[in-house]
Amino acid sequence: MSTINLPLNLTVRVHPVVLFQIVDAYERRNADSERVIGTLLGSVDKGVVEVTNCFCVPHKEHADQVEAELGYASDLYDLNRRVNPSENIVGWWATGQEVTNHSSVIHEYYARECNNPIHLTLDTSLTAARMGIKAYVCVSLGVPGGKTGCMFTPINVEISSYEPEVVGLQLCSKTIGVQQNPSRPRTVSPMLDLAQITEASGKLQNLLGEVLNYVEDVLAEKQQPDNSVGRALLDLIHSVPNMTSDQFAQMFNSNVKDLLMVVTLSQLIKTQLQLNEKLTSLTSFIN
């Protein structure tokens, strides 16, 4: 038996917005739909598939065939390309925890749209009390000169986030436990800049305390040292700028002045625009 086209060294990095879109599509599905499928968008670079966006493709699954609105999928992809020209089709997704009999048929369509498409499954049934996520590639199998087939083989999948996504996730995490505690608010609002600095400073102080406790335990021989942790601490120390307290204060005050100047100018522009709007409305009313 021979095996061809083995893209098994791929790593899939999925962004949180993709998971939110899949869950939203599953919640909005038709009553007679057992699962939802859609297209994955992103980029491929040096064996890493970065999935940054997706959309749902309406379909119906029967015992012996699959009906999908491919025209809708093509039109939606073209519209997305106008907004995000860097996002290409990298595969497709489906809800559920396993690959079904119809998956190979759907995969054939995406194999015509891109090279080595990935298949992502998201367990929206929360088996084992968690939302499992898996990624597959379709590996061609067969005998030379004979029949060929394919097999979905798991590949490595990771959750990756941009900095704005991390802020959004931290904000969403504050609503966890609403059902267990009805007194908790169901909605949260972004914090003020000063409140965010205060919260981040508190977290940083706690993390520094944990690091100091670890170092003291290692020096006191209460805990075995870890070489990887030591190298990480050394890199952290080398990354800190070497400056005196007076130099840091001068740099901080300079940045604060620049920030205050930008805030003042933005407020002036906002006031000027509001004044111009009111004068324009008054002029049109008089005429």
Side-chain angles (χ1 to χ4, degrees):
M1 179 179 294
S2 65
T3 306
I4 57 176
N5 296 332
L6 288 173
L8 301 180
N9 57 344
L10 290 177
T11 298
V12 181
R13 293 179 181 173
V14 185
H15 285 255
V17 65
V18 176
L19 303 180
F20 279 112
Q21 287 177 296
I22 294 176
V23 172
D24 180 69
Y26 179 77
E27 291 294 329
R28 298 172 183 269
R29 73 190 188 282
N30 296 328
D32 57 344
S33 299
E34 295 183 359
R35 72 170 184 164
V36 187
I37 68 171
T39 301
L40 295 174
L41 303 175
S43 59
V44 182
D45 183 29
K46 297 180 180 179
V48 177
V49 181
E50 191 104 8
V51 184
T52 56
N53 200 356
C54 70
F55 59 83
C56 177
V57 177
H59 84 298
K60 291 183 179 180
E61 296 185 7
H62 304 282
D64 56 347
Q65 63 179 353
V66 179
E67 297 178 0
E69 298 186 14
L70 302 182
Y72 170 86
S74 178
D75 293 341
L76 200 57
Y77 173 63
D78 292 338
L79 291 174
N80 185 82
R81 287 278 295 176
R82 296 181 182 180
V83 181
N84 300 310
S86 60
E87 291 183 344
N88 301 310
I89 296 178
V90 295
W92 64 288
W93 59 267
T95 56
Q97 58 178 337
E98 59 184 10
V99 178
T100 66
N101 296 331
H102 298 307
S103 296
S104 58
V105 178
I106 302 173
H107 199 83
E108 288 180 2
Y109 163 73
Y110 284 96
R112 297 192 297 267
E113 298 295 324
C114 64
N115 295 325
N116 296 326
I118 64 169
H119 176 36
L120 188 74
T121 60
L122 186 65
D123 183 13
T124 50
S125 61
L126 298 181
T127 305
R130 66 184 303 271
M131 187 175 294
I133 179 173
K134 298 179 181 179
Y136 303 88
V137 290
C138 191
V139 178
S140 299
L141 301 174
V143 178
K147 294 183 178 181
T148 60
C150 64
M151 178 181 65
F152 284 92
T153 304
I155 56 176
N156 186 34
V157 58
E158 303 172 354
I159 304 297
S160 179
S161 304
Y162 297 129
E163 290 186 2
E165 293 176 328
V166 173
V167 176
L169 290 174
Q170 292 175 349
L171 194 62
C172 292
S173 64
K174 297 182 179 180
T175 61
I176 297 177
V178 172
Q179 295 180 352
Q180 291 78 6
N181 186 6
S183 61
R184 294 192 61 177
R186 291 182 175 270
T187 59
V188 292
S189 301
M191 295 185 299
L192 299 176
D193 294 342
L194 186 58
Q196 293 184 19
I197 294 175
T198 303
E199 183 178 359
S201 300
K203 292 181 179 179
L204 180 60
Q205 187 174 4
N206 293 334
L207 293 175
L208 289 175
E210 294 179 4
V211 172
L212 288 176
N213 292 334
Y214 170 78
V215 173
E216 291 176 356
D217 291 342
V218 171
L219 294 177
E221 298 183 352
K222 296 180 181 179
Q223 186 174 348
Q224 291 294 330
D226 190 338
N227 294 333
S228 60
V229 175
R231 286 191 290 269
L233 290 176
L234 183 62
D235 294 339
L236 177 63
I237 294 175
H238 287 166
S239 64
V240 177
N242 186 15
M243 61 176 61
T244 63
S245 58
D246 294 336
Q247 291 175 335
F248 177 79
Q250 182 180 0
M251 180 189 67
F252 180 79
N253 292 331
S254 177
N255 291 333
V256 169
K257 291 179 181 178
D258 294 340
L259 178 62
L260 292 176
M261 182 180 295
V262 172
V263 172
T264 303
L265 290 175
S266 63
Q267 291 294 335
L268 288 174
I269 295 173
K270 181 179 179 181
T271 303
Q272 191 173 19
L273 291 175
Q274 291 176 346
L275 181 60
N276 180 67
E277 182 180 358
K278 291 183 178 180
L279 290 175
T280 303
S281 301
L282 181 61
T283 304
S284 56
F285 177 76
I286 294 175
N287 295 335

